[in-house]
Amino acid sequence: MKSAVRNSMIYRAFLVVLFLVIAIGGGAWSVWLVLEQAPPFGKLTSGPWEAFPVAGTPNADPYSRARHVRSGGLALGPSEGIVLTAHTDSSNGALSRNCTYRIEGSTPPARLWTLYVADAQGNALPGSKQKRSATHSQMAVLENNNRFSIAVSSHPLPGNWVAVEGDGRMQIVLTLYDTPLAAASQLSEISLPTITQAGCDA
């Protein structure tokens, strides 16, 4: 009799532990899924460029704020600027460090802009021995019609050249400071630079 009672208690304890493991594990997995895999809210797009104007601000949803804090991102206020990120070129092809790209368009409507190349996780990539993996509006050479063309490549190129090294996916980050885009509700209303693939290494 005592043995049966003891076995029953052990079985119930096992069920309690099992349910706790499932509950805690399932909760942790769902939080990870939201922070790492679920797309953030409030995304604006224009061609290959996307932006999350409210990310990291009090107006962002709780999950977006948590994701932003976890990544260590620095949010720009609506009056400060906007961060645009491209993971693909204008033909919807994934950006690769093995390829050469041309970023072309009119000068962005901003007092200052910066452009750099990052890995798939958003970490800035190191440049080469000859050139950095970033440029800005005070460095870029403009054409006569106030347009610009920037090459992103592992090979040295004349003109505006942003260097990349290594293999794998990458993203291009364009930050506009003191720009009317920060208050725009639709990026599609603004003409942003195109990103064109100009060839890839074998």
Side-chain angles (χ1 to χ4, degrees), residues 48 89-91 95 100-104 150 152 193-199:
D89 58 27
S90 295
S91 298
L95 297 179
T100 295
Y101 298 93
R102 281 282 176 186
I103 305 172
E104 298 176 309
I150 300 173
V152 177
T194 58
I195 304 175
T196 306
Q197 186 194 102

Coordinates of all heavy atoms in Angstrom, one line a residue, residues 48 89-91 95 100-104 150 152 193-199:
P48 N 14.3 48.8 -52.7 CA 15.0 47.8 -51.8 C 15.2 48.4 -50.4 O 15.6 47.6 -49.5 CB 16.4 47.7 -52.5 CG 16.6 49.0 -53.1 CD 15.2 49.5 -53.6
D89 N 19.1 44.1 -53.8 CA 19.2 45.1 -54.8 C 17.9 45.5 -55.3 O 16.8 45.0 -54.9 CB 20.2 44.7 -55.9 CG 19.8 43.4 -56.6 OD1 18.6 43.2 -56.6 OD2 20.6 42.7 -57.1
S90 N 17.8 46.4 -56.3 CA 16.6 46.9 -56.8 C 15.9 45.8 -57.6 O 14.7 46.0 -58.0 CB 16.8 48.1 -57.7 OG 17.3 49.2 -56.9
S91 N 16.5 44.7 -58.0 CA 15.9 43.6 -58.7 C 15.5 42.5 -57.7 O 15.2 41.4 -58.1 CB 16.9 43.0 -59.7 OG 17.1 44.0 -60.7
L95 N 21.8 40.8 -51.4 CA 23.1 41.5 -51.5 C 24.2 40.5 -51.0 O 24.1 39.9 -49.9 CB 23.2 42.7 -50.6 CG 22.2 43.8 -51.1 CD1 22.3 45.0 -50.1 CD2 22.5 44.3 -52.5
T100 N 29.6 43.1 -57.1 CA 29.8 44.6 -57.1 C 28.5 45.3 -57.4 O 27.7 44.8 -58.2 CB 30.8 45.0 -58.3 OG1 32.1 44.4 -58.0 CG2 30.9 46.5 -58.5
Y101 N 28.2 46.3 -56.7 CA 26.9 47.0 -56.8 C 27.1 48.5 -57.1 O 28.1 49.1 -56.6 CB 26.1 46.9 -55.5 CG 25.7 45.5 -55.2 CD1 26.5 44.7 -54.4 CD2 24.6 44.9 -55.8 CE1 26.2 43.4 -54.1 CE2 24.2 43.5 -55.5 CZ 25.1 42.8 -54.7 OH 24.7 41.5 -54.4
R102 N 26.2 49.1 -57.8 CA 26.2 50.6 -58.0 C 24.9 51.2 -57.3 O 23.8 50.8 -57.5 CB 26.1 50.9 -59.5 CG 27.4 50.7 -60.2 CD 28.3 51.9 -60.0 NE 29.6 51.8 -60.6 CZ 30.6 52.7 -60.4 NH1 30.4 53.7 -59.6 NH2 31.8 52.4 -61.0
I103 N 25.2 52.1 -56.4 CA 24.1 52.8 -55.7 C 24.0 54.2 -56.4 O 25.0 55.0 -56.3 CB 24.4 53.0 -54.2 CG1 24.7 51.6 -53.6 CG2 23.3 53.7 -53.5 CD1 25.1 51.7 -52.2
E104 N 22.9 54.5 -57.1 CA 22.8 55.7 -57.9 C 21.5 56.4 -57.6 O 20.5 55.8 -57.4 CB 23.0 55.3 -59.4 CG 24.3 54.7 -59.7 CD 24.4 54.2 -61.2 OE1 23.4 53.5 -61.6 OE2 25.3 54.6 -61.9
I150 N 27.8 55.5 -56.3 CA 28.7 54.9 -55.3 C 28.9 53.4 -55.6 O 27.9 52.7 -55.8 CB 28.2 55.0 -53.9 CG1 28.1 56.5 -53.5 CG2 29.2 54.4 -52.9 CD1 27.4 56.8 -52.2
V152 N 30.0 49.7 -54.5 CA 30.3 48.8 -53.4 C 30.9 47.5 -53.9 O 30.2 46.8 -54.6 CB 29.0 48.5 -52.6 CG1 29.3 47.6 -51.4 CG2 28.3 49.8 -52.1
P193 N 17.8 56.2 -53.8 CA 18.8 55.6 -54.7 C 18.5 54.2 -55.1 O 17.9 53.4 -54.3 CB 20.1 55.7 -53.9 CG 19.9 56.7 -52.9 CD 18.4 56.7 -52.5
T194 N 18.8 53.8 -56.3 CA 18.7 52.4 -56.8 C 19.9 51.7 -56.5 O 21.0 52.3 -56.3 CB 18.4 52.4 -58.3 OG1 19.5 53.0 -59.0 CG2 17.1 53.1 -58.6
I195 N 19.8 50.4 -56.3 CA 21.0 49.5 -56.1 C 21.0 48.5 -57.2 O 20.1 47.6 -57.4 CB 20.9 48.8 -54.7 CG1 20.7 49.8 -53.6 CG2 22.1 47.9 -54.5 CD1 20.5 49.2 -52.3
T196 N 22.0 48.5 -58.1 CA 22.1 47.7 -59.3 C 23.4 46.8 -59.2 O 24.5 47.3 -58.9 CB 22.2 48.5 -60.5 OG1 21.1 49.4 -60.6 CG2 22.1 47.6 -61.8
Q197 N 23.2 45.5 -59.4 CA 24.3 44.6 -59.4 C 25.1 44.8 -60.7 O 24.5 44.8 -61.8 CB 23.8 43.1 -59.3 CG 25.0 42.1 -59.2 CD 24.5 40.7 -59.4 OE1 24.7 40.1 -60.4 NE2 23.9 40.1 -58.4
A198 N 26.4 44.9 -60.6 CA 27.3 45.1 -61.7 C 28.2 43.9 -62.0 O 29.2 44.0 -62.7 CB 28.1 46.4 -61.6
G199 N 27.9 42.8 -61.4 CA 28.7 41.6 -61.7 C 29.2 40.9 -60.4 O 29.2 41.6 -59.3

